[in-house]
Amino acid sequence: SSANSEVPAPVSRASGSAFEGKTAVAIAAGIGHSLALCSDGTVLAWGDNTYGQLGTNTTVGSNIPVAVNMASGVSALHGKNVVAIAAGGYHSLATCSDGTLVAWGANWYGELGDETTTHRPCPVVVNSTLAGSSLLGRTVVGIAAGEYHSLAKCSDGTIATWGWNGSGQLGDGSSAQRLIPVPVSTTAMGTEERFAMVVSGSTSGHTMALVAASPQPFPVVAVEAQGDSPLSNGV
């Protein structure tokens, strides 16, 4: 329904709901839409869809869960297994087991990272191949979304950001919007420090990151042989 509720209400799993027979393992919420990642690697969405944020290749909203489009030749999620999701104000993000990062929905400021400002009602790939993309050659291990910007934490401890930057939320030392991922500045960090986590919120115009020191290598201790006597275990 579209009725407000003052107590928790179960998301529909009735016949006709794409949630029927599935198990949710992760969730995310935008300003007017919701996402659920299922154990089979598919993504469900429901709510407002004015800008295609449900990823169904339409702009028709739904008050029950619908499947994010994974059709061949239409969706960047075709043949993919989704492992993480995030919801911005009016857009959505997902990472796949093969490292692909995709986005869909509103794209006023380049928050989809596909080098355009065109709204996308179906998943498209966030650009990681252009020479100017800070995702080039990197592996994404975490994602987050603000109201009009997107973020990716990479395995090497760097963070990439794109989209609206009017308040400096991309952290690249400017206030210019970015249509493809750019690196967050590390000038305030120590030489051994790396980004460990990044977060934002669906109505947020700012970003937060957790910084940690790089793990130290395990020390190697030399052991001198003491004659030819075997150890107590016979080795």
Side-chain angles (χ1 to χ4, degrees), residues 52 56-59 62 66 71 103 113 139 144 146 168 180 186 195 210 225:
T56 58
N57 206 27
T58 75
T59 55
S62 178
V66 292
T139 301
I180 61 172
T186 59
F195 291 115
L210 184 65

Side-chain angles (χ1 to χ4, degrees), residues 29-33 35 86-93 144-149 201-203:
I31 287 179
H33 74 292
L35 304 173
Y90 307 93
H91 69 290
S92 306
L93 302 172
E147 186 170 13
Y148 302 116
H149 71 293
S202 61
T203 60

Side-chain angles (χ1 to χ4, degrees), residues 1-189:
S1 74
S2 57
N4 295 338
S5 179
E6 296 179 351
V7 296
V11 174
S12 175
R13 302 180 71 127
S15 178
S17 167
F19 196 22
E20 182 182 11
K22 291 182 179 283
T23 300
V25 294
I27 50 177
I31 287 179
H33 74 292
S34 303
L35 304 173
L37 171 62
C38 298
S39 58
D40 62 0
T42 60
V43 181
L44 308 180
W46 59 98
D48 181 38
N49 195 28
T50 305
Y51 305 102
Q53 56 265 54
L54 300 190
T56 58
N57 206 27
T58 75
T59 55
V60 178
S62 178
N63 59 9
I64 61 172
V66 292
V68 173
N69 195 301
M70 301 182 74
S72 175
V74 177
S75 171
L77 283 180
H78 176 67
K80 306 289 186 183
N81 184 64
V82 177
V83 295
I85 54 175
Y90 307 93
H91 69 290
S92 306
L93 302 172
T95 50
C96 305
S97 58
D98 66 355
T100 304
L101 177 57
V102 305
W104 60 94
N107 199 24
W108 288 292
Y109 306 105
E111 53 263 52
L112 301 190
D114 67 343
E115 206 183 3
T116 77
T117 54
T118 303
H119 301 330
R120 306 290 188 181
C122 203
V124 295
V125 175
V126 174
N127 201 300
S128 61
T129 58
L130 282 179
S133 172
S134 63
L135 289 181
L136 180 66
R138 290 188 166 93
T139 301
V140 175
V141 294
I143 52 175
E147 186 170 13
Y148 302 116
H149 71 293
S150 303
L151 313 107
K153 191 259 180 182
C154 300
S155 59
D156 62 358
T158 61
I159 293 176
T161 58
W162 57 99
W164 176 241
N165 197 26
S167 302
Q169 52 265 60
L170 300 191
D172 69 339
S174 80
S175 58
Q177 72 181 55
R178 305 294 185 178
L179 305 186
I180 61 172
V182 296
V184 171
S185 172
T186 59
T187 55
M189 295 164 58

Side-chain angles (χ1 to χ4, degrees), residues 209-228:
L210 184 65
V211 175
S214 298
Q216 298 301 308
F218 192 80
V220 177
V221 180
V223 179
E224 294 183 5
Q226 302 293 321
D228 296 327

